[in-house]
Amino acid sequence: KQEVTQIPAALSVPEGENLVLNCSFTDSAIYNLQWFRQDPGKGLTSLLLIQSSQREQTSGRLNASLDKSSGRSTLYIAASQPGDSATYLCAVSTGNEKLTFGTGTRLTIIP
Amino acid sequence: DTGVSQDPRHKITKRGQNVTFRCDPISEHNRLYWYRQTLGQGPEFLTYFQNEAQLEKSRLLSDRFSAERPKGSFSTLEIQRTEQGDSAMYLCASSGSLNYGYTFGSGTRLTVV
């Protein structure tokens, strides 16, 4: 059974700093991995999708990497801003139409 | 196309009442999913439709829960005889292909009092 872990559960950093969020998964036979952002009481906004054959994806200040063999993904946020404060979730697809989510990292950017 | 729409955004109901939620997926997406998220947890899979066919249901989906997707368009999720443990955020997602990932709606927050 696929299990997804996100550490740390919460992170606070001063505005302007670069930061890395971590995601690990137990079964390396994944189809793809998706990072989402969730604001309090809201739905999920897709940030980046990495296919199993890819090593990284970039969108603006965000960069996600994937190391399938070690069961790890990271989300790098450059030059953090207060508007980046949210919970970040990673989700793994094994191609069976079900996403397995981690419990998320709650990020607070301190102005 | 404005993405995945869910209605209502919030629902407060008394224990024992029935509730129904609606999801309108992205129009060209043939796959539709329901997830449930409790406080501090990641979303958990409930059920999946491809077009109008319900192809998979989680064991989380007790017999009080039923989902439909008539004509392969919008979907409804009904909870009968609600219990306090049903309080959660119910999220709908759609996808045209697993290669392109999932698009989620804003969710329906259910509170059972």
Side-chain angles (χ1 to χ4, degrees):
Chain A
K1 178 188 170 189
Q2 179 73 268
E3 293 182 0
V4 179
T5 303
Q6 292 186 248
I7 294 173
L11 181 65
S12 293
V13 300
E15 179 180 0
E17 284 198 2
N18 304 326
L19 60 101
V20 174
L21 306 181
N22 297 295
C23 171
S24 61
F25 46 93
T26 54
D27 184 350
S28 61
I30 67 168
Y31 193 81
N32 56 41
L33 184 148
Q34 200 164 356
W35 281 93
F36 294 91
R37 168 189 172 132
Q38 186 173 34
D39 293 292
K42 307 291 187 183
L44 276 60
T45 300
S46 179
L47 298 173
L48 289 164
L49 171 70
I50 312 178
Q51 303 297 342
S52 63
S53 58
Q54 297 175 317
R55 294 300 298 266
E56 64 179 82
Q57 281 284 348
T58 298
S59 175
R61 294 182 296 107
L62 306 180
N63 175 277
S65 69
L66 175 64
D67 184 343
K68 214 172 63 161
S69 61
S70 67
R72 298 177 68 175
S73 175
T74 62
L75 179 66
Y76 174 84
I77 302 177
S80 58
Q81 304 170 358
D84 295 330
S85 296
T87 295
Y88 290 79
L89 293 156
C90 79
V92 170
S93 169
T94 51
N96 63 353
E97 306 290 352
K98 277 185 280 193
L99 283 176
T100 302
F101 283 85
T103 53
T105 294
R106 189 173 69 253
L107 177 64
T108 302
I109 305 300
I110 305 164
Chain B
D1 194 343
T2 57
V4 178
S5 299
Q6 291 189 245
D7 184 69
R9 293 293 305 277
H10 303 276
K11 178 72 178 178
I12 300 174
T13 190
K14 292 183 179 179
R15 190 174 50 189
Q17 298 293 305
N18 301 341
V19 295
T20 300
F21 311 141
R22 177 180 170 123
C23 171
D24 287 89
I26 292 173
S27 57
E28 60 266 32
H29 286 180
N30 63 345
R31 291 168 158 88
L32 186 146
Y33 310 82
W34 286 98
Y35 283 77
R36 181 171 70 186
Q37 185 181 26
T38 53
L39 202 62
Q41 301 298 312
E44 294 177 292
F45 171 82
L46 291 179
T47 191
Y48 152 63
F49 290 85
Q50 185 157 340
N51 300 312
E52 67 275 11
Q54 186 175 19
L55 298 184
E56 191 165 356
K57 291 168 59 173
S58 164
R59 281 175 285 184
L60 292 175
L61 215 64
S62 76
D63 57 5
R64 296 185 297 105
F65 288 70
S66 62
E68 295 182 341
R69 192 184 182 194
K71 302 179 183 177
S73 56
F74 71 92
S75 175
T76 58
L77 178 67
E78 181 184 16
I79 309 174
Q80 296 182 326
R81 304 182 304 281
T82 52
E83 302 172 355
Q84 286 190 318
D86 297 331
S87 296
M89 173 78 87
Y90 290 83
L91 294 160
C92 177
S94 70
S95 174
S97 161
L98 293 184
N99 289 333
Y100 298 103
Y102 298 72
T103 301
F104 278 80
S106 298
T108 294
R109 166 75 65 187
L110 173 66
T111 302
V112 182
V113 297

